[in-house]
Amino acid sequence: MTYRILFEVRGRARFLSHLETVDTLLSALRRGGYQIALSRGMRPRPVISLAIPRAVGVESEAELADVELVAEPEPEDVLAALHAQLPDGLIARRVEHSHGKPASSRLRGVDYAVDVADDVDWDEAIARYHQAEEAVVTRTAPQKADKRVDVKRFCMSVEHQPGRLLLELALTGEGTARPEEVVHAVAATIGATPTITRLVRTRIALAEPTGVTT
Amino acid sequence: MTSLLEQRIENVLETVQKPSRYIGGEANQVKKRQATSLVALCYPDAYEVGISNQALQILYAQVNRRERFAAERVYCPWPDMADAMRRERVPLFTLESWRPVREADLLGITLQAELTYSNVLEVLDLAGIPLRAEERGEHDPIVVAGGPSASNPEPLAPFFDAIFMGESEEAFEQVLDAIDSETGRAARLRRLSEIPYLYMPARGRHEVERAIYAEFGIETQPTRVVVPYSSAIFARASVEVMRGCTRGCRFCHAGTWYRPVRERPADQVIKAGLEQLGCTGYDELSLTSLATSDYTDVLPAIEGVKRERPDLHLSLPSNRVDTGPVALMAAANSRQSSITLAPEAATQRMRDIICKTITDEMIEGAIEAAFTAGYTSLKLYFMIGLPRETHEEVQGIVDLGIRAREIGQQVKGRRSRFSVHVSASNFVPKPHTPFQWEGMSSRDQLVAKQGYMRRAMPTRQIRLSLHDVRTSMLEGALARGGCETADVVEQAWRSGARFDAWTEMFQEQAWHDAFAAAGTTMDAEATREFGEWDDLPWDHVRSGVSKEFLLDEWWQSQAEVATGDCRWDGCADCGACFGPVRNKLVR
């Protein structure tokens, strides 16, 4: 039986990598007494997928994991086990039966709340950002060539609240934008350099409303 | 509420690789807010190396059993983190509470390998603790070393207030009593100096005994061990089924240092293993010891665990090279595709010299049994540079690699997919062993032997891996060093040496310069031969095994005669047994 787990990543747990998060979830489920189903083939692996990798350092209110268990426990029992077994900073919020495709293959978008210093005139910057035809940033990565990305193609909305920007980003076949790229692109419209103090993923939007949505 | 220090730590973590090394909070960590004494337990290497160390897991549970004490873990920050900490003035902190290590009452540092010595100084410096014990003040923790490499305490002696010898389970209670009952650094040190298992460098060179835990196997071992984040090198449950080994391999430090043999009954192994699996969520259990196939209750232990958890990965490391142990390993873990056998030497002559009592027939039988059992990857482990080694011994390793491939082809067919992995490390003489008087092979000799093996070993279906000669020479120079070596370690660290066991971090020139500044060379120290009547730098450490026995074993090695195992072939009068301390086999 496959279960969809909605969980939060808070505080120091944000420094866990994607793989560490997966392993920590699996080990918590095993401590809770559940056997994880294994894939077929020469090298069987636990059947688990997180909807979308989370960058190290980013907190989340809305992570989604699909995991297949050998038995068919009640979702509330799985939730209780996760409450008891997950380490500091990983907090299970909901568990439901999951049917059909995993969340990772039905992604539509991801929302973020970005805490920023208010030494930038964000309302003016956002207005100019909306007026611009494009907002190009240079994406750098180790051992890869720099890449120019027009973040406007992927950013559905930007909203300013005191000390915070709320972003709605689309996940498309052509890629997506990173939240810090959008914030820098917005600030750049008025020649400012932003100070980001915290990044929180607030929602993962799926293409079809089945199972848990956030 | 986040303290200023916590905020600064978090800011630093935003900038480093693998920040999860420093966050703590893993399942089963113990956080005690009411404790009045803090004991910081440090493994001076990266988190993923240190987190799985069984000795520190035992000590962590032991300290935390005391109501007033909190044990908290510390590892050596990776250079990017260390540099950021120095830049942002963040002192070394414990994982559990992010408290500065300098606030601890006691800082315990385990010395598991000589190549972590520069990291000991890195840890002290990052903690803001003066490197030399004589420079410490009232508010500094008492810094205590332990672990197998402490058996020669001299190379690091000036950096420690005390150096603990042997097994902690019982004897370390006396250390905790001293910390608990006394206040003030001077009073605590005075009390510690009464413990026979503590070497107190400030008192000058004095005799010290090794603590031996006679009750091993009667108590249960810790089961609620900290579950590391996924990066640990050994992410699995483990139960120590047996301590000590009396096979008598003459190069083996552990073979002397952990005598006599004490076994844990199978029912306890099964109980501890299942409990630990439940508490940790691991899907693999390792039955650990220096030679698990020698454990007399091994079959009931395997059967008992398998009965409860049929699908479990069960691993039996460090086994004797023979058909029986191979069959055991195959039975324990049918899904494993690779197996490691350690003949150590490829010729009978050399195996007699090192007292590895196995024959060519046993080795070939074990290889055949491994391929027959379905293993597709066979790793053969050897040493080169052993005493009185000739070209025949090096050629023997090449020949045995080829023979293993032939056996694989015979068993599996010529077109089958399998591989033989020949691994050869460089022999490093260790204190408290029959080879403690021997010098290492020279750098040129080792390089030449490695070069020959690379040229002579076929590459089809055989992979050859050889240990870095540079780090082996350093290990050899440090392992048998005297008190003057401390200046070398400090100088090398000041020149940038740290994480010497990591090839990409090894600063060879810093070490050469440091030895030169001390008026010697790394190679001279590593290849130094001691005379049989010389006063050895570690002679004041009473391991329990007599120097006469070691000397006799050295002579036997020169005569190319192996010695029997006292479990089955009669007492060889090594001196390790006294009173309740003796070989305790389940069967």
Short mmCIF file of all heavy atoms in Angstrom, two decimals, chain B residues 23-60:
data_model
loop_
_atom_site.label_atom_id
_atom_site.label_comp_id
_atom_site.label_asym_id
_atom_site.label_seq_id
_atom_site.Cartn_x
_atom_site.Cartn_y
_atom_site.Cartn_z
N ILE B 23 24.70 19.49 12.84
CA ILE B 23 23.42 19.95 13.41
C ILE B 23 22.92 19.11 14.57
O ILE B 23 22.10 19.56 15.34
CB ILE B 23 22.31 20.05 12.33
CG1 ILE B 23 22.03 18.69 11.69
CG2 ILE B 23 22.68 21.08 11.27
CD1 ILE B 23 20.87 18.73 10.67
N GLY B 24 23.41 17.88 14.71
CA GLY B 24 22.88 17.02 15.78
C GLY B 24 21.40 16.75 15.55
O GLY B 24 20.88 16.89 14.44
N GLY B 25 20.73 16.34 16.60
CA GLY B 25 19.28 16.13 16.51
C GLY B 25 18.88 14.80 15.94
O GLY B 25 17.70 14.56 15.67
N GLU B 26 19.82 13.89 15.73
CA GLU B 26 19.49 12.58 15.16
C GLU B 26 18.64 11.76 16.13
O GLU B 26 18.62 12.04 17.33
CB GLU B 26 20.77 11.78 14.85
CG GLU B 26 21.81 12.49 14.02
CD GLU B 26 22.87 13.13 14.90
OE1 GLU B 26 22.51 13.74 15.93
OE2 GLU B 26 24.05 13.04 14.55
N ALA B 27 18.00 10.75 15.57
CA ALA B 27 17.22 9.85 16.42
C ALA B 27 18.14 9.21 17.45
O ALA B 27 19.27 8.86 17.14
CB ALA B 27 16.57 8.77 15.56
N ASN B 28 17.63 9.10 18.66
CA ASN B 28 18.33 8.47 19.80
C ASN B 28 19.44 9.32 20.41
O ASN B 28 20.15 8.85 21.30
CB ASN B 28 18.90 7.09 19.45
CG ASN B 28 17.82 6.09 19.10
OD1 ASN B 28 16.67 6.25 19.51
ND2 ASN B 28 18.16 5.07 18.35
N GLN B 29 19.63 10.55 19.93
CA GLN B 29 20.59 11.37 20.65
C GLN B 29 19.99 11.69 22.03
O GLN B 29 18.78 11.71 22.21
CB GLN B 29 20.91 12.67 19.90
CG GLN B 29 19.89 13.77 20.09
CD GLN B 29 20.45 15.17 19.78
OE1 GLN B 29 21.46 15.33 19.13
NE2 GLN B 29 19.75 16.17 20.25
N VAL B 30 20.88 11.88 23.00
CA VAL B 30 20.41 12.15 24.36
C VAL B 30 20.71 13.61 24.68
O VAL B 30 21.84 14.06 24.54
CB VAL B 30 21.13 11.23 25.37
CG1 VAL B 30 20.68 11.54 26.79
CG2 VAL B 30 20.86 9.77 25.03
N LYS B 31 19.66 14.32 25.09
CA LYS B 31 19.83 15.73 25.42
C LYS B 31 19.35 15.92 26.85
O LYS B 31 18.16 15.69 27.13
CB LYS B 31 19.00 16.57 24.46
CG LYS B 31 19.52 17.96 24.22
CD LYS B 31 18.80 18.56 23.02
CE LYS B 31 19.12 20.04 22.88
NZ LYS B 31 18.49 20.61 21.70
N LYS B 32 20.24 16.25 27.75
CA LYS B 32 19.87 16.33 29.17
C LYS B 32 20.04 17.77 29.66
O LYS B 32 21.17 18.23 29.85
CB LYS B 32 20.76 15.38 29.97
CG LYS B 32 20.50 13.92 29.63
CD LYS B 32 21.59 13.02 30.15
CE LYS B 32 21.41 12.70 31.63
NZ LYS B 32 22.41 11.70 32.08
N ARG B 33 18.92 18.41 29.85
CA ARG B 33 18.98 19.82 30.24
C ARG B 33 19.32 19.99 31.72
O ARG B 33 19.81 21.03 32.14
CB ARG B 33 17.66 20.52 29.92
CG ARG B 33 17.45 20.68 28.42
CD ARG B 33 16.26 21.56 28.10
NE ARG B 33 16.15 21.79 26.66
CZ ARG B 33 15.61 20.94 25.80
NH1 ARG B 33 15.12 19.79 26.24
NH2 ARG B 33 15.55 21.21 24.51
N GLN B 34 19.02 18.95 32.53
CA GLN B 34 19.21 19.09 33.98
C GLN B 34 20.60 18.67 34.43
O GLN B 34 20.93 18.82 35.60
CB GLN B 34 18.17 18.22 34.72
CG GLN B 34 16.73 18.50 34.36
CD GLN B 34 16.36 19.97 34.50
OE1 GLN B 34 16.76 20.63 35.44
NE2 GLN B 34 15.60 20.48 33.53
N ALA B 35 21.40 18.16 33.53
CA ALA B 35 22.72 17.67 33.93
C ALA B 35 23.58 18.83 34.42
O ALA B 35 23.48 19.96 33.94
CB ALA B 35 23.39 16.98 32.75
N THR B 36 24.44 18.53 35.38
CA THR B 36 25.32 19.58 35.91
C THR B 36 26.75 19.46 35.39
O THR B 36 27.53 20.39 35.51
CB THR B 36 25.34 19.52 37.45
OG1 THR B 36 25.64 18.18 37.85
CG2 THR B 36 23.99 19.93 38.03
N SER B 37 27.09 18.28 34.87
CA SER B 37 28.44 18.11 34.32
C SER B 37 28.36 17.73 32.85
O SER B 37 27.59 16.85 32.48
CB SER B 37 29.20 17.00 35.07
OG SER B 37 29.44 17.39 36.39
N LEU B 38 29.16 18.39 32.06
CA LEU B 38 29.17 18.11 30.62
C LEU B 38 30.45 17.37 30.25
O LEU B 38 31.56 17.82 30.56
CB LEU B 38 29.08 19.43 29.83
CG LEU B 38 29.21 19.32 28.31
CD1 LEU B 38 28.07 18.49 27.72
CD2 LEU B 38 29.23 20.71 27.67
N VAL B 39 30.27 16.22 29.60
CA VAL B 39 31.40 15.46 29.07
C VAL B 39 31.30 15.50 27.55
O VAL B 39 30.35 14.97 26.98
CB VAL B 39 31.38 13.99 29.57
CG1 VAL B 39 32.49 13.19 28.91
CG2 VAL B 39 31.52 13.95 31.09
N ALA B 40 32.25 16.14 26.92
CA ALA B 40 32.26 16.20 25.45
C ALA B 40 33.09 15.02 24.95
O ALA B 40 34.23 14.84 25.38
CB ALA B 40 32.86 17.52 24.99
N LEU B 41 32.49 14.22 24.08
CA LEU B 41 33.18 13.04 23.56
C LEU B 41 33.52 13.29 22.09
O LEU B 41 32.62 13.51 21.29
CB LEU B 41 32.30 11.79 23.68
CG LEU B 41 31.95 11.39 25.12
CD1 LEU B 41 31.00 10.20 25.11
CD2 LEU B 41 33.21 11.05 25.91
N CYS B 42 34.79 13.24 21.78
CA CYS B 42 35.23 13.67 20.45
C CYS B 42 35.88 12.53 19.68
O CYS B 42 36.76 11.84 20.19
CB CYS B 42 36.22 14.82 20.59
SG CYS B 42 36.98 15.31 19.03
N TYR B 43 35.45 12.37 18.45
CA TYR B 43 36.18 11.54 17.49
C TYR B 43 36.84 12.54 16.53
O TYR B 43 36.13 13.25 15.81
CB TYR B 43 35.22 10.61 16.73
CG TYR B 43 35.94 9.56 15.92
CD1 TYR B 43 35.95 8.24 16.33
CD2 TYR B 43 36.63 9.89 14.76
CE1 TYR B 43 36.63 7.26 15.59
CE2 TYR B 43 37.31 8.93 14.03
CZ TYR B 43 37.30 7.62 14.45
OH TYR B 43 37.98 6.67 13.72
N PRO B 44 38.16 12.59 16.53
CA PRO B 44 38.81 13.67 15.76
C PRO B 44 38.91 13.39 14.26
O PRO B 44 39.99 13.35 13.68
CB PRO B 44 40.19 13.76 16.41
CG PRO B 44 40.46 12.38 16.90
CD PRO B 44 39.14 11.78 17.27
N ASP B 45 37.77 13.17 13.66
CA ASP B 45 37.69 13.04 12.21
C ASP B 45 36.30 13.51 11.81
O ASP B 45 35.52 13.96 12.67
CB ASP B 45 37.95 11.59 11.77
CG ASP B 45 38.52 11.52 10.35
OD1 ASP B 45 38.01 12.24 9.48
OD2 ASP B 45 39.45 10.75 10.11
N ALA B 46 35.97 13.39 10.54
CA ALA B 46 34.68 13.89 10.06
C ALA B 46 33.53 13.10 10.70
O ALA B 46 33.69 11.94 11.08
CB ALA B 46 34.61 13.78 8.54
N TYR B 47 32.38 13.75 10.77
CA TYR B 47 31.17 13.15 11.36
C TYR B 47 30.91 11.76 10.82
O TYR B 47 30.66 10.81 11.58
CB TYR B 47 30.00 14.07 11.04
CG TYR B 47 28.61 13.54 11.36
CD1 TYR B 47 28.06 13.73 12.63
CD2 TYR B 47 27.85 12.90 10.39
CE1 TYR B 47 26.78 13.26 12.92
CE2 TYR B 47 26.58 12.43 10.67
CZ TYR B 47 26.04 12.62 11.94
OH TYR B 47 24.78 12.15 12.21
N GLU B 48 30.97 11.60 9.51
CA GLU B 48 30.59 10.32 8.90
C GLU B 48 31.55 9.20 9.25
O GLU B 48 31.19 8.03 9.16
CB GLU B 48 30.44 10.46 7.38
CG GLU B 48 31.63 11.02 6.64
CD GLU B 48 31.54 12.54 6.48
OE1 GLU B 48 31.07 13.21 7.42
OE2 GLU B 48 31.98 13.03 5.43
N VAL B 49 32.76 9.53 9.66
CA VAL B 49 33.72 8.51 10.10
C VAL B 49 33.48 8.20 11.58
O VAL B 49 33.45 7.04 12.00
CB VAL B 49 35.17 9.00 9.89
CG1 VAL B 49 36.17 7.97 10.43
CG2 VAL B 49 35.43 9.26 8.42
N GLY B 50 33.30 9.24 12.37
CA GLY B 50 33.24 9.06 13.81
C GLY B 50 31.93 8.56 14.36
O GLY B 50 31.90 7.88 15.40
N ILE B 51 30.84 8.84 13.67
CA ILE B 51 29.51 8.58 14.24
C ILE B 51 29.28 7.08 14.48
O ILE B 51 28.55 6.69 15.37
CB ILE B 51 28.40 9.16 13.32
CG1 ILE B 51 27.01 9.01 13.94
CG2 ILE B 51 28.40 8.53 11.94
CD1 ILE B 51 26.70 10.00 14.99
N SER B 52 29.92 6.23 13.68
CA SER B 52 29.67 4.79 13.80
C SER B 52 30.60 4.10 14.80
O SER B 52 30.49 2.91 15.00
CB SER B 52 29.84 4.12 12.44
OG SER B 52 29.08 4.78 11.45
N ASN B 53 31.51 4.84 15.41
CA ASN B 53 32.49 4.21 16.27
C ASN B 53 31.84 3.58 17.50
O ASN B 53 31.20 4.26 18.30
CB ASN B 53 33.53 5.25 16.70
CG ASN B 53 34.62 4.65 17.56
OD1 ASN B 53 34.58 4.78 18.76
ND2 ASN B 53 35.56 3.98 16.94
N GLN B 54 32.03 2.27 17.64
CA GLN B 54 31.36 1.54 18.72
C GLN B 54 31.86 1.95 20.10
O GLN B 54 31.08 2.00 21.06
CB GLN B 54 31.59 0.04 18.55
CG GLN B 54 30.50 -0.64 17.73
CD GLN B 54 30.66 -2.15 17.71
OE1 GLN B 54 31.75 -2.65 17.59
NE2 GLN B 54 29.55 -2.85 17.83
N ALA B 55 33.15 2.23 20.23
CA ALA B 55 33.69 2.58 21.54
C ALA B 55 33.04 3.86 22.06
O ALA B 55 32.69 3.97 23.24
CB ALA B 55 35.20 2.75 21.44
N LEU B 56 32.87 4.83 21.17
CA LEU B 56 32.25 6.08 21.62
C LEU B 56 30.76 5.88 21.91
O LEU B 56 30.21 6.55 22.79
CB LEU B 56 32.43 7.18 20.57
CG LEU B 56 33.75 7.95 20.66
CD1 LEU B 56 33.70 9.18 19.76
CD2 LEU B 56 34.10 8.38 22.07
N GLN B 57 30.13 4.97 21.20
CA GLN B 57 28.71 4.67 21.50
C GLN B 57 28.59 4.09 22.91
O GLN B 57 27.68 4.43 23.66
CB GLN B 57 28.14 3.70 20.48
CG GLN B 57 27.92 4.32 19.11
CD GLN B 57 27.54 3.29 18.05
OE1 GLN B 57 27.56 2.10 18.29
NE2 GLN B 57 27.21 3.77 16.87
N ILE B 58 29.53 3.21 23.26
CA ILE B 58 29.52 2.63 24.61
C ILE B 58 29.73 3.73 25.65
O ILE B 58 29.02 3.82 26.65
CB ILE B 58 30.61 1.53 24.72
CG1 ILE B 58 30.23 0.32 23.87
CG2 ILE B 58 30.83 1.13 26.17
CD1 ILE B 58 31.34 -0.70 23.71
N LEU B 59 30.70 4.58 25.40
CA LEU B 59 31.03 5.64 26.35
C LEU B 59 29.89 6.65 26.47
O LEU B 59 29.59 7.15 27.57
CB LEU B 59 32.31 6.34 25.87
CG LEU B 59 33.22 6.98 26.90
CD1 LEU B 59 33.48 6.08 28.09
CD2 LEU B 59 34.56 7.35 26.24
N TYR B 60 29.25 6.93 25.36
CA TYR B 60 28.12 7.88 25.33
C TYR B 60 27.00 7.38 26.25
O TYR B 60 26.46 8.11 27.07
CB TYR B 60 27.64 7.99 23.89
CG TYR B 60 26.57 9.02 23.59
CD1 TYR B 60 26.87 10.38 23.58
CD2 TYR B 60 25.27 8.65 23.26
CE1 TYR B 60 25.91 11.32 23.25
CE2 TYR B 60 24.31 9.58 22.94
CZ TYR B 60 24.62 10.92 22.93
OH TYR B 60 23.67 11.84 22.61
#
